[in-house]
Amino acid sequence: MPESRVPRRRRFLVCEPRHFAVQYAINPWMSTGRPVDVIRALDQWQSLVDTYRAHGHTVDAVEAVPGLPDMVFAANCAVVVEGRVFCSHFHAPERRPESVPYEAWFKTEGFEVQHSEAVCEGEGDLVPAGPWMLAGTGFRTTREAHREVQEFFGVPVISLTLVDPYFYHLDTALFVLDDGGEGAAGNVAYYPGAFSPGSREVLERLYPDAVIATLEDAMAFGLNSVSDGRHVFISPGARGLADQLAGLGYVPVPVDLSEFHKAGGGIKCCTQEIREIRS
Ligand code: ARG
């Protein structure tokens, strides 16, 4: 275990939950009969942004659009590696219009933007991890999109099959603890039950030292976390996982986004990482 884990400063993109609601149900967490407290959601979201900033990270925001209640889940709009932006093509027709404001934001900021032809939900299913990209499929992002992503970025894409509808996006079942740097594999935390047997075996081969989460911690959105290599911004409900991470020298930073769990989202879902060209 390293003496002291070193954080890397990140640039994040977020979207204020001003129009957040559960108006349709496209994953098992969502129930249209269950009201959302928008004031509470705004409060929780603001503390996430404040916490990132307090830890030295840069946070940019896209203007929220009325009628797009899931737009707060910025992770789904794209995946960005070395300044190249691969924009999403959402599975649900209700979410497809979200691509427009996000793409406009990236263009205004001067990024090169490419669209996915196939169904693809950005960082929800595409997780850059050191020398490769981990890619979920089974519920949303398709294998065809994995192929497009590999072609666009020129990095090896490792397809992983998700099998549990509660973990419909890869970022609900796995997160990167540290991305290794210098071509090293780094490490991840994940819940094995979310994956097909073959995909589980792939993860075991790639990450023999992975942190294995329980179903309980996964259901508390513990794997929908963001790590900067030292601090892990994590759901306070995932106590067991936070203890494991602390034992490995990480610093868990609890941020409660419980209002967003009603839509099937948590910390990582609300956070898009903008990976620019490293100098
Ligand atoms: N209601 C949204 C959906 O089902 C939640 C998205 C959560 N985002 C994520 N990155 N897992 O599409």
Side-chain angles (χ1 to χ4, degrees):
M1 173 177 126
E3 278 293 283
S4 170
R5 305 226 176 236
V6 184
R8 188 165 55 74
R9 280 174 202 268
R10 311 290 165 125
R11 181 178 178 195
F12 295 134
L13 179 64
V14 297
C15 176
E16 196 184 36
R18 213 178 320 147
H19 308 293
F20 176 57
V22 178
Q23 288 170 356
Y24 44 80
I26 53 172
N27 68 55
W29 302 91
M30 300 174 92
S31 153
T32 48
R34 206 162 148 221
V36 159
D37 183 339
V38 178
I39 302 294
R40 189 156 180 260
L42 281 162
D43 227 56
Q44 292 183 339
W45 179 86
Q46 192 57 52
S47 59
L48 176 67
V49 171
D50 294 346
T51 306
Y52 283 148
R53 291 193 173 133
H55 287 81
H57 304 298
T58 302
V59 184
D60 286 320
V62 174
E63 195 62 32
V65 175
L68 298 179
D70 273 336
M71 202 182 154
V72 60
F73 300 116
N76 302 147
C77 72
V79 60
V80 187
V81 180
E82 292 180 352
R84 283 188 258 177
V85 182
F86 192 72
C87 278
S88 298
H89 178 78
F90 284 89
H91 176 73
E94 294 92 336
R95 293 200 67 186
R96 282 192 200 137
E98 291 178 35
S99 297
V100 178
Y102 277 108
E103 188 183 323
W105 186 88
F106 283 113
K107 284 190 174 156
T108 309
E109 291 289 311
F111 288 95
E112 180 200 327
V113 170
Q114 164 112 1
H115 282 283
S116 182
E117 297 276 329
V119 166
C120 183
E121 299 204 346
E123 280 200 297
D125 278 319
L126 301 167
V127 179
W132 49 66
M133 173 103 68
L134 301 175
T137 189
F139 297 99
R140 305 285 181 92
T141 302
T142 59
R143 279 188 184 266
E144 182 51 25
H146 294 183
R147 197 194 58 76
E148 283 183 54
V149 166
Q150 176 162 291
E151 207 51 40
F152 180 63
F153 290 113
V155 299
V157 168
I158 315 261
S159 291
L160 300 167
T161 302
L162 297 162
V163 296
D164 182 332
Y166 279 91
F167 306 108
Y168 58 95
H169 271 150
L170 181 58
D171 74 356
T172 62
L174 174 148
F175 74 100
V176 173
L177 279 163
D178 75 80
D179 49 19
E182 302 296 322
N187 204 9
V188 299
Y190 68 95
Y191 166 58
F195 297 91
S196 69
S199 298
R200 242 178 271 165
E201 225 179 298
V202 169
L203 287 169
E204 283 161 19
R205 283 179 207 274
L206 294 179
Y207 300 105
D209 301 320
V211 174
I212 302 299
T214 61
L215 172 62
E216 196 189 350
D217 286 334
M219 289 296 281
F221 284 83
L223 294 164
N224 198 244
S225 295
V226 169
S227 168
D228 65 14
R230 175 176 174 79
H231 311 104
V232 181
F233 305 96
I234 187 167
S235 164
R239 277 182 218 100
L241 180 56
D243 287 348
Q244 281 188 75
L245 296 174
L248 292 167
Y250 294 97
V251 181
V253 179
V255 182
D256 181 20
L257 289 195
S258 52
E259 218 38 46
F260 298 92
H261 298 177
K262 297 175 179 171
I267 294 171
K268 173 60 210 171
C269 301
C270 292
T271 313
Q272 169 74 220
E273 184 175 344
I274 303 180
R275 298 173 192 78
E276 297 182 83
I277 300 169
R278 287 202 214 175
S279 45

